[in-house]
Each structure stands twice: as C-alpha cells, then as structure tokens.
Amino acid sequence: MTQRPPDAPAPPSDDARWKRIVATLRRLGHRPQSLIEGMHAVQNEFGYLEPAALRYLAELLVVPLAKVHGVATFYHHFTMRPPTRHTCVVCLGTVCHIKRGPAILAEIEKRYGVGAGATTADGSLSVVEARCIGACSLAPLVVLDGETIGPTTPEEVRERLDSCIAKTEGEPPRDA
Amino acid sequence: MTPEELRSRAAQVRSREAAYAESFRVCTAESCLSLGSRALLHAIEGELESRELAERCRVKPVGCLGLCAQGPLVAAELRRGHGAEERSHLLRTVRAEHAAALVDGLDGSFDPGLELPVDLPFFEKQLRIATENCGRIDPHELDDAIGAGAYEALLQALYEKTPADVLAEVERSGLRGRGGAGYPTGLKWRTVAKNTATPRYVVCNADEGDPGAFMDRGVLESDPHRVLEGMAIAAYAVGASAGYIYIRAEYTLAEQRLRRAISQAEGAGLLGKAIGATPFEFNVELRLGAGAYVCGEETALLTSIEGNRGQPRPRPPYPAEEGLFGKPTLINNVETFANVPPIVRRGGDWFASIGTGKSKGTKVFALAGKITNTGLVEVPMGTPLREIVFGLGGGIPDGAAFKAVQTGGPSGGCIPAAYLDSPVDYETLASLGSIMGSGGMVVMDEHTCMVDVAKFFLAFCRDESCGKCVPCRVGTVELHGLLERFSRGEAGVHDLSLLEELCDLVKSASLCGLGQSAPNPILSTLRHFGDEYRAHLEGRCPAGVCTMRREGSS
Ligand SMILES: Cc1cc2nc3c(=O)[nH]c(=O)nc-3n(C[C@H](O)[C@H](O)[C@H](O)COP(=O)(O)O)c2cc1C
Ligand code: FES
C-alpha cells in the first residue's frame, strides 16, 4: 500500500513546489488516510487548494473526488480561493469578545467595507474571523500577515492595515 | 540510551549549568515572542559578548514563565556555584533596549521598574507538576530536558516495572483526564490493556479548541519531551507501539517544537525502535488539525486522523475498544500525559496525596479576561476559586467589580461571585452548573452581559456543529436565534420558557458532547443571572452591551 503504483498520476504542473509536496506524500505513503496531510502540504506551498490539486490528491490517494471535496469543505482551515496580498485574522474568541474584539472587526468593515470572511474588491485584503488562537493574554488581538498584534485597538489595527496595504500597492487604499 | 547513560548525561548537563555563575532565562513561548522576546534574547547575548561575560552568564531561551500579561518575561538566577546564596529574580516587560540594564543588574540590583516582587502570590501559591519544567528548560534541547529529569521515568518503567505495575501506579494516583470529562485515567488505560486486539494506538489530544484555553499550548511549547515521555509510558503500559499527536493547525510553534523533540528523542534512542536499549518500540507521528472544533471530541478526532471529515460517532464502542482504524486506542489530553512521568517517578500515592477526595493532583488553568494577571497557573485541586481569581490572578483591573468566571469553554458555564469560596474540583464545578473542562478560566466583570456571553457560545456551537445530528445542527441555530431576540429586546416571557425547553431537548438528544453540552452556557447563566434575562425582557441590558431595539418596559 505504501508504494506509489507505477502508473501514479503526475502532479498538475512541474512547479518546483509540487516536488516538495510529492516528497511529503511519498513519505506518508499513498494511502487514503493521508488525504488531510496532503491538503496541508498543498496549502502550505500554494496558499490554497486549487481544483487541479484536489483532483491530483484524489487520483494519487485513490479517494473519490466527492470525498476529497467533502473533506476540503468540512475543515475551516482549508480554502479554495487563492490568497490575497494581505490577510487580517481578527480573533473573536471568548476573551477577545469580551475585550471588544468585535469593535476591531467593525472598524475594519467601516474602513475597507469588508466583514469577516470577505475580501476587498481590489483583492488586496481578506478578513478572517478566528475563535481564539490561544494567545488570550494578548486580547484583543489580530494576526496581520502572520504577525500577532495585541493587545490592540481598532485605531491601531486600522493604521497598521493602512500602512501595510499602502506599502505593497504604492498607492493609498481606497476610501470606505 | 540505557538508564546509566541517561543518568550520566543528566549529570553532565547539570554540571555544565552549574559552571555558570549567573543565568538569564528568556521566555520564548508564543505570547512573549510576539511581544519581542526573540530580539531581547539576541540583545542580551550581544551585550554579554561585548562585555566578555558570556563565559559566566548563560542566556537560555525557555518556555512559558507563566505571567503572560507582563511579557516579555526574563528570569535571572544569580551567584550560582559561588557558594553564595542563590537568588532568583523575575523581570517583566523587558525590551531589547533594556539588555544593558539587565546585564548591569547582575550584581543583584535590577531596575525596580522591571523587577517583580519575589513573593507574588501568582507564583507563591502554585504547585507545579505538569508544568514543573516550563520556563526552566530550553524546549529546543533534549539535553536540557534530560538535565531536568526527562525520560528518567520512562526508563525506570522499562527496566524496573512491568506494564501491569505502571498501570497500577497510575490507578493508584487517582489521575483523571484533564481534557474535559475527568474520566479516570487508570481505568481507561486498563480497558485498552485488557483488549486482546492488536495493534493498539496511543493518541494525544492536542486540539485545544476551547476558546479561552491555552494550557496545552503552554506545555507543548515549553516542554515537548514531557508529553512524549508520558505517551511512551502509556504505550508501554497498554501494549501499543504507535502513536499520534493530533495538534491544532494554529499552534505552529508548538508543532515545530514537537517535531524537533520527536526527532531528537528518536536520535537518542528514547523514542522509536529499541527504546532505552530494550525491545520496546514506540513511534509517534504528528497529525495537524484543520480548524474544526468538533475534532477535539475523541471519536471525531480519530475519524480525522483517518483522513475523513471529522464527524463524531456514537459511543459505545469507546475508542478503548474500537478506536483508530478499528483498533483499541488510548486517547488522552496533553496535560494528562504530562502528569504521567512524575507519577511513575514519585509514585501514585504521592500524587494522590495532593488535591481533594475525588480530584487528585493539580490542574493547570489559563487565566484570562478581566483579570490582572493573565497567564498560566498550576494549583492543587480544591483550591478555592477566590484564591485563583483574587490571589493568584490579582483580581479585576480598573477597579471594576467581579461578575463571573467562565470555566469549561462552550461546554461549561459561568460561576457568580456567591460561589467564589467553592473549591475547584470536578464535582463542585459540576454542581454549580459548569464543568472543570480543560482549564480555561475567563473572568468577567460588570461590563460583561451574560446574555451576550451565552449568545457568543451558542454562535460558536452553531458554527462548529458538524451537522451530523439534527438536535445539534438545528437546535443551536434556534437557541442562538432566541438569544438574539433577548439581546435585541424583542423577547417575551414565553421565549424564556421556550429557551428552557429547547435547552433540555438539545442536551438530551444530541449525538456527541458538543451538542449535549451546548446549552450549558445558557442554563448556567439562566440559573445564576436570571435577573439579567428578565431585564432584557423589559428592554434593558444592565451591562450596556446589547443594543436594544426598544426602550423601556414591555
Ligand atoms: C466538542 C468537544 C470538544 C473537545 N475538545 C477537546 C480538546 O480540545 N482537547 C481535549 O483534550 N479534549 C477535548 N474533548 C474531550 C475528548 O473527547 C476526550 O474526552 C479527551 O481527549 C480524553 O482525554 P482525557 O481523558 O485525558 O481528558 C472534547 C470533547 C468534546 C465533546
Ligand atoms: S480569545 Fe482571542 S486569543 Fe483567545
């Protein structure tokens, strides 16, 4: 079961990132139970799960495509949309909730016109809601492009967002 | 590595440590890292280099020092090995630019603005077993862990005890599961050991999904070898040779440290094949969660390891009988495993001498919310709630009044001021309408609305319901909708009784613990804060959180 059959499918492209994913999958063994690990490997490299990647995993691990979709959509962590330039995770766990985390989300919505789970029209920023990332001593907090910022305020988050968006775009963000 | 080799390695490490007159331990757990402790660590190293003090003063990255609210934290140990009295200092909110001042303070006089009093109740009142090495050892270095006694208990078990002896010791300790339900650990181990089917598995639940909980994260980031050792001892006792750690994907740092720890332990012959130069074999693999709360539930977790949607299934059969891949599986929480090595080393009776009648040992709590000292504490079971919140926790900041402490996450409840003198143990918390849960304690003050809190948890459960059973899938939506009516000031008296009936239904008819306990936040707030619900019926939110659609009475 752990050997890749000789007629194993080729990865969707010859992108170097696929080489690393293929290596990971080989180490795990080409078994249906490696599906979630495979998805992690793909999303780590590409930032999302594109349809071709899901088809590839289905064929390689011999899992029905419908099940692959079922698994990919069940878990909040997996996304089928390409990543935007910036991601702001706003924590709304218990502690962040009672420490006015929702006001941060409201401020972002006011400024950029996007709520949790949405992306700005120009595709520069997506806003994600989390329910506790286990750093409650920093509440209320956001995770902006991987950096945990907390305890913070709606104003600070707006300023940080403004400046990091302006930096990568070379132009000021659109007004809300 | 044989026991003798382990002992001599530990002795080497300790004498290497003792060669330093002084040391700084810099917290590099997640919270302090994001406050800049990495730069601080390098700044102290640079400062010592440039003053040519690196030979006598050690700087070491460590895990959680506990008082996360005051990070970045640094512990300083002075005059070691000089025959002089050893003194510890704890320094708070230390920035990289303080590095020179820290090194200046090596003569024993730190900037009072940085130094915390040594007799702070936050530290004085703790009894640390599961977290005894957190903040003491470098979580990246196997040697450091060995110097603090890691893997001693495992090799002691392999060389001096039969699996049955180990089992008996764990039973004698009275240890109960720290993941929520408090099931007797020894009994669970025995059920797996009794089963004749093979192979058997040992699984560590590191999904830590309760919002407001970060105990397991602290242990994993600070002392990963402790958890591995606990799992290996369990594997020996129940006859397993493979194990998994299911860790939530958000815990990147913990994951990295665990991966490193696993490969170090394998390299040293303390994990993998021929452990401790005996025939015993135990291989551990990591599996990453993917952001589904229900996967913390044991049957859902196992289904997820198998590569499926993480939906729970009815029990029995329990995982101990039919678990991973249909085989007998022991599943325990991170903190449960972290308690095992000391129990083997010091005996079940020693552990059972701590705590209360039915709740033995200590419990790690994550203090957060409207409390001065947010962070991790470990206290004996039975410690009064007041002591935790006002003693260790330092009370409520900004002169606000205490209102409630929420324990047990979405499955738990809110405990009001009237019960602050209750001892914290499994039975007492249950009798108050909450649960011990995994150890998150979220303190709430007068500015928190209890209807809003209940609504928060119901939104959580609604979103995290896996959808498999109707009472949970539909019931949580309905309950949340009802609470919405309260918080908009639209609810009438009949909604109150409807709320109670629906809670009862969801509680009794749901398939797994998620649905069965989803009404708890409502039931406990109804019980202890009924007045607040009634105020909402009149269109008032006493805490001023809910925006009412209509003002005045109905
Ligand atoms: C919805 C739900 C979520 C749970 N989440 C966790 C969790 O994150 N961590 C954990 O250790 N146990 C969790 N549990 C409890 C586990 O099902 C199981 O009881 C526990 O892992 C057993 O270990 P213990 O006996 O050492 O506590 C959860 C239970 C339910 C019903
Ligand atoms: S509630 Fe936001 S990190 Fe825990």
Side-chain angles (χ1 to χ4, degrees):
Chain A
M1 273 293 266
T2 58
Q3 273 294 303
R4 176 173 157 190
D7 55 347
S13 75
D14 45 17
D15 191 310
R17 288 173 287 187
W18 276 111
K19 288 218 172 61
R20 292 193 287 269
I21 297 167
V22 167
T24 304
L25 287 164
R26 192 177 310 128
R27 185 175 51 72
L28 289 165
H30 296 147
R31 293 173 299 181
Q33 69 227 42
S34 307
L35 179 60
I36 295 174
E37 290 292 296
M39 287 179 179
H40 276 298
V42 173
Q43 189 159 309
N44 269 350
E45 294 288 350
F46 290 95
Y48 76 118
L49 305 174
E50 56 171 345
L54 293 182
R55 275 196 303 276
Y56 171 67
L57 288 176
E59 272 183 60
L60 182 73
L61 307 177
V62 201
V63 179
L65 188 58
K67 179 177 165 184
V68 173
H69 272 274
V71 170
T73 50
F74 179 84
Y75 293 98
H76 306 311
H77 179 76
F78 296 126
T79 170
M80 278 168 310
R81 281 184 305 188
T84 47
R85 233 182 327 247
H86 302 289
T87 307
C88 186
V89 180
V90 181
C91 181
L92 295 176
T94 323
V95 184
C96 292
H97 177 85
I98 65 169
K99 290 199 163 178
R100 308 227 161 265
I104 296 176
L105 201 60
E107 179 69 24
I108 297 176
E109 185 149 14
K110 197 169 106 203
R111 177 81 174 119
Y112 293 97
V114 280
T119 300
T120 51
D122 64 355
S124 63
L125 171 71
S126 44
V127 180
V128 181
E129 169 187 337
R131 291 252 176 72
C132 189
I133 61 159
C136 316
S137 57
L138 302 175
L141 63 84
V142 300
V143 183
L144 178 54
D145 295 335
E147 186 195 347
T148 307
I149 306 170
T152 188
T153 59
E155 296 70 39
E156 189 195 9
V157 172
R158 190 193 58 220
E159 281 160 23
R160 297 285 294 251
L161 277 173
D162 281 357
S163 81
C164 85
I165 288 174
K167 218 178 287 166
T168 48
E169 278 190 337
E171 56 184 45
R174 71 192 177 92
D175 275 331
Chain B
M1 200 183 287
T2 63
E4 293 85 82
E5 286 164 347
L6 185 75
R7 266 193 296 276
S8 80
R9 185 118 155 221
Q12 271 171 22
V13 175
R14 283 196 280 264
S15 71
R16 224 163 40 215
E17 287 260 313
Y20 290 99
E22 290 119 8
S23 77
F24 287 117
R25 288 178 279 129
V26 181
C27 175
T28 56
E30 175 71 19
S31 175
C32 283
L33 272 185
S34 65
L35 294 169
S37 67
R38 176 80 59 204
L40 168 64
L41 181 75
H42 294 318
I44 301 176
E45 281 168 352
E47 192 65 32
L48 289 169
E49 271 316 311
S50 70
R51 298 201 210 173
E52 297 184 349
L53 290 171
E55 301 267 289
R56 54 173 276 188
C57 180
R58 165 143 202 230
V59 194
K60 142 163 127 171
V62 293
C64 188
L65 283 162
L67 190 49
C68 309
Q70 307 252 23
L73 295 168
V74 177
E77 232 79 58
L78 304 186
R79 305 258 173 277
R80 257 196 308 197
H82 275 202
E85 191 192 344
E86 176 179 314
R87 272 176 307 156
S88 307
H89 301 255
L90 194 65
L91 307 149
R92 58 155 173 201
T93 51
V94 195
R95 308 282 164 185
E97 59 265 28
H98 294 133
L102 280 200
V103 176
D104 288 342
L106 283 176
D107 61 8
S109 54
F110 289 103
D111 176 350
L114 294 177
E115 187 159 3
L116 284 162
V118 280
D119 55 353
L120 210 61
F122 184 88
F123 298 102
E124 287 272 283
K125 307 270 183 186
Q126 291 200 46
L127 177 62
R128 296 176 38 165
I129 298 173
T131 62
E132 63 190 344
N133 292 334
C134 296
R136 315 213 113 260
I137 61 167
D138 181 347
H140 305 90
E141 299 305 330
L142 173 63
D143 269 354
D144 225 48
I146 288 178
Y151 297 103
E152 226 176 77
L154 173 62
L155 296 199
Q156 191 187 335
L158 295 183
Y159 277 79
E160 296 166 21
K161 293 180 161 76
T162 64
D165 294 339
V166 176
L167 235 165
E169 209 64 69
V170 172
E171 275 180 336
R172 203 160 29 242
S173 75
L175 176 64
R176 293 169 65 177
R178 301 299 195 232
Y183 191 82
T185 305
L187 192 56
K188 197 188 268 190
W189 289 25
R190 186 167 293 286
T191 312
V192 180
K194 266 205 311 239
N195 202 308
T196 50
T198 54
R200 294 169 215 165
Y201 296 99
V202 169
V203 173
C204 174
N205 188 341
D207 201 41
E208 193 158 70
D210 282 359
F214 47 94
M215 307 74 49
D216 295 348
R217 167 182 217 157
V219 173
L220 294 167
E221 286 177 358
S222 309
D223 193 4
H225 287 289
R226 171 58 77 85
V227 180
L228 297 175
E229 185 183 5
M231 288 179 73
I233 293 171
Y236 176 67
V238 304
S241 59
Y244 291 90
I245 301 175
Y246 189 90
I247 181 168
R248 67 185 295 208
E250 290 87 338
Y251 285 5
T252 321
L253 189 65
E255 179 209 333
Q256 288 164 353
R257 289 182 180 173
L258 265 177
R259 280 196 201 283
R260 189 183 163 104
I262 290 172
S263 79
Q264 287 172 337
E266 283 173 352
L270 295 166
L271 214 55
K273 287 199 166 57
I275 297 180
T278 71
F280 176 60
E281 171 177 355
F282 181 58
N283 299 289
V284 180
E285 284 186 47
L286 287 194
R287 283 293 176 267
L288 288 191
Y293 174 69
V294 73
C295 286
E297 195 279 336
E298 55 190 23
T299 61
L301 186 151
L302 298 176
T303 314
S304 179
I305 294 183
E306 291 167 1
N308 306 309
R309 298 161 63 103
Q311 287 184 322
R313 60 159 179 77
R315 301 172 307 176
Y318 285 88
E321 297 147 346
E322 258 176 59
L324 196 58
F325 308 117
K327 300 295 180 185
T329 302
L330 173 71
I331 174 163
N332 275 132
N333 164 265
V334 169
E335 190 184 328
T336 313
F337 283 123
N339 275 303
V340 169
I343 288 173
V344 170
R345 214 166 44 223
R346 308 176 67 168
D349 291 330
W350 159 77
F351 191 84
S353 72
I354 303 159
T356 63
K358 286 184 179 165
S359 305
K360 300 301 188 186
T362 56
K363 179 77 195 80
V364 184
F365 291 104
L367 300 182
K370 307 287 183 67
I371 185 165
T372 306
N373 298 331
T374 56
L376 285 187
V377 296
E378 182 172 359
V379 291
M381 290 278 191
T383 302
L385 205 45
R386 185 185 304 279
E387 177 113 317
I388 298 177
V389 174
F390 288 91
L392 291 91
I396 319 299
D398 306 323
F402 171 90
K403 187 182 228 171
V405 52
Q406 206 278 341
T407 70
S411 313
C414 296
I415 301 169
Y419 297 100
L420 271 172
D421 292 311
S422 311
V424 174
D425 59 38
Y426 292 99
E427 279 70 31
T428 307
L429 291 188
S431 76
L432 295 176
S434 188
I435 57 167
M436 172 79 79
S438 57
M441 278 198 179
V442 181
V443 177
M444 300 169 176
D445 69 5
E446 55 193 304
H447 305 297
T448 315
C449 167
M450 303 318 277
V451 176
D452 181 68
V453 167
K455 195 176 80 176
F456 164 81
F457 281 115
L458 264 293
F460 183 91
C461 291
R462 177 199 61 193
D463 295 349
E464 296 297 340
S465 170
C466 77
K468 186 167 174 175
C469 76
V470 180
C472 172
R473 184 179 67 224
V474 181
T476 51
V477 174
E478 291 294 316
L479 284 171
H480 180 261
L482 267 172
L483 292 172
E484 276 276 316
R485 291 172 54 77
F486 277 88
S487 64
R488 284 203 302 261
E490 292 167 356
V493 185
H494 59 283
D495 288 315
L496 208 51
S497 50
L498 191 60
L499 194 62
E500 282 173 343
E501 277 169 36
L502 203 53
C503 281
D504 193 44
L505 180 89
V506 174
K507 205 178 162 83
S508 53
S510 292
L511 170 67
C512 85
L514 194 151
Q516 287 159 9
S517 59
N520 283 358
I522 305 180
L523 291 170
S524 86
T525 47
L526 272 176
R527 170 170 162 194
H528 300 300
F529 300 94
D531 285 352
E532 281 196 43
Y533 281 84
R534 283 185 286 278
H536 284 73
L537 289 182
E538 293 163 9
R540 274 188 307 115
C541 174
V545 171
C546 304
T547 37
M548 295 291 175
R549 194 160 282 176
R550 54 179 190 159
E551 284 291 316
S553 67
S554 51

